[in-house]
Amino acid sequence: MNPSTDSSPASKARPVDPAQKIRHLSAEAQAAFRRFQSGGDPADLDPVIFAILESFVPRQPARPFVEQPGDARLVDDLRLDSIAIAEVVFFAEDLLEINISNAEIARVRTLDDLRGFIRQKVAARRAG
Amino acid sequence: MAAGTRNPRAAATPVVTGLGFITSIGNDRAAVLRSLRELRHGFEPVEFLGNPNVPVSVAGTVKGFAFPSPHGRDWVWPGAYAIEREVLRGLAPHGVYAFCALQQALADAGLAADELADGTTGLFCASTGSPFLLTHHVNQLYAARGERSDPMAILSSVAGTLNFNLAAHFRIAGAVCGFVSACASSSHALGYAMDEIQLGRQRRMLVVGAEDMNAESILPFAALRGLSTNPDPATASRPFDRRRDGFVGTGGAVALVVEDAALARARGAEIHAELAGWGQAGDGHSVAASHPDGAGLREAMRRALADAQVAAADVDYVSAHATSTPTGDRSEALALHAVFTGGARPRVSGTKALTGHGLSLAGALGAAFCVLAIREGFIPGAAHLEEPDPVCAGLDLPRVSLDEAPRVVLNNSSGFGGSNVCHVLRRAG
């Protein structure tokens, strides 16, 4: 197969191995992700989201993400730049098998926005 | 102004005030100097791709660094260098080497980072990019059927990654450019940096060359039969020796701070050496092989000497390109015979016998070694040379490093497509 030209409908994006992908996240985040995989409760993704943000933020904030208020702004308060946000989106898409458009991510301003958005996306995927 | 004589408008004299090294023979100036003086090589046995059947089993390894995966979080570098994730996310392995080397060079030059952002400092870089990271990112793209890819894929892996990242981090507002001419790349970067100073466009230039040290960067040269298959680290790289069988690959980084001499003196910086001139010429011959008579290199040497207004007889030492390939070393020997006639008989050696061949990194690394030779008053010996190729008869190839202070030095480099670049360096007056 020439991967650059093959457009067979049967060829779908191959999911990554989640365990391998999250091996650098904290033990707590990895455990939360396993709970999510087995139980399907999107609330279990919160520690995972915090850990993903922590792994891509250009400069670590004074307080860990888990202690940040829900209305903390991703760009202005937590200093995620456009590259870091693109990295977070890429990572989340790959891990959670979701697709996030530019317009959607542009509407996400705060930590609570992000948590709600991810929950909604994951729920929609599981429902669909 | 690579060829011919200097632009009459030129007034500024480019000098080197800072050096930084991450190499197989040492990760700072003192270690590199010791290796060059004592002819200690930086080679180790390696098993590329975990496959003992790979016929190439020696490399110029860069100690103190490790890149076991494509993810920066798994990388290891010396604790003396703080690299924030903001910087690391855009770097290839050779970007890490380069970041460390440039930090050294700035410290050596007595420059703080906030002195680089006023537009009078430029940055010229050279690397192949990172085939290692590029392969990873393209495989990710394939796995996702093109639906997504890593946002840092391009910035960290294509040729240009060095200048993208270093210019942004150090807030360089002067000239920023990358050079791609294979193994002459960083020589071009240094040559054109000299021009930027001499033409008055910049007062200071940072020149950085770097390469990954891994299978993806090195092994493809085996397909061209360019690499040594000699498994003995002590003899695998032996430029100008009759039994040479190819080069030994290496990676690492070198950084040079080049300044207008007047600026360097005004701020009290120590001047290590003057960059007196440079020249370049193409072979017009082959995509891979050097011209059989060394025609392009011969002309590049002549042009460099003319640019520096230096006679061949005044050259004390030639740092040869000398990668230890059968054809390349022969071509260079013939070119040297053609340039150095009559009473001109400089010392000649190839330091790739110790470091290995660093590809895009090689030319500027050779120039930095020349700066060390001038500054420290010695001439590196022709390491591992036991049976000189008959074509070298008449060349002065010292078997050991000499306590002789060279005043004028010529640095040679050649790249694919017959791209030849030479620099003339001399002791600052």
Side-chain angles (χ1 to χ4, degrees), chain B residues 236-412:
Chain B
S237 181
R238 42 185 163 185
F240 298 126
D241 193 283
R242 189 179 55 78
R243 296 160 301 170
R244 68 191 184 277
D245 72 333
F247 74 84
V248 173
T250 191
V254 66
L256 297 93
V257 177
V258 180
E259 297 186 80
D260 173 358
L263 172 64
R265 290 195 178 96
R267 67 183 190 85
E270 181 186 355
I271 294 173
H272 298 327
E274 177 189 331
L275 296 164
W278 74 292
Q280 60 171 323
D283 278 345
H285 171 66
S286 163
V287 66
S290 52
H291 188 282
D293 297 329
L297 184 56
R298 179 184 68 219
E299 191 58 27
M301 283 191 274
R302 287 176 173 161
R303 289 176 177 177
L305 293 171
D307 189 40
Q309 299 180 324
V310 164
D314 293 333
V315 176
D316 300 309
Y317 169 57
V318 178
S319 177
H321 182 63
T323 62
S324 188
T325 61
T327 55
D329 289 9
R330 176 181 170 79
S331 296
E332 185 164 16
L334 292 171
L336 289 166
H337 284 308
V339 171
F340 294 100
T341 56
R345 196 162 179 267
R347 310 282 196 186
V348 177
S349 70
T351 53
K352 293 179 185 71
L354 304 173
T355 60
H357 185 12
L359 312 173
S360 297
L361 148 71
L365 185 61
F369 291 165
C370 291
V371 172
L372 280 184
I374 290 170
R375 183 184 186 278
E376 304 292 338
F378 77 105
I379 290 175
H384 307 156
L385 178 63
E386 293 178 353
E387 297 180 29
D389 188 313
V391 76
C392 296
L395 296 182
D396 185 348
L397 297 160
R399 310 299 173 86
V400 296
S401 293
L402 304 172
D403 286 326
E404 293 178 7
R407 209 180 60 78
V408 177
V409 170
L410 183 65
N411 178 51
N412 286 354

Side-chain angles (χ1 to χ4, degrees), chain B residues 59-139:
Chain B
T61 53
V62 184
K63 291 77 177 173
F65 294 78
F67 305 96
S69 87
H71 306 293
R73 65 181 78 97
D74 296 327
W75 295 354
V76 176
W77 62 88
Y81 304 97
I83 308 180
E84 287 262 12
R85 213 202 90 74
E86 183 178 20
V87 178
L88 188 66
R89 66 187 178 182
L91 298 182
H94 70 277
V96 175
Y97 297 144
F99 187 89
C100 300
L102 186 51
Q103 295 276 20
Q104 280 180 43
L106 293 173
D108 186 32
L111 289 167
D114 60 6
E115 294 178 82
L116 308 176
D118 66 358
T120 64
T121 297
L123 171 71
F124 285 173
C125 296
S127 87
T128 305
S130 177
F132 166 63
L133 280 194
L134 193 59
T135 300
H136 167 72
H137 292 309
V138 171
N139 282 338

Side-chain angles (χ1 to χ4, degrees), chain A residues 6 14 59 81 87 94, chain B residues 85-86 89 143 145 148:
Chain A
D6 177 50
R14 294 192 298 276
R59 293 169 185 267
D81 59 12
E87 288 183 292
D94 234 19
Chain B
R85 213 202 90 74
E86 183 178 20
R89 66 187 178 182
R145 299 292 303 160
R148 56 184 169 270

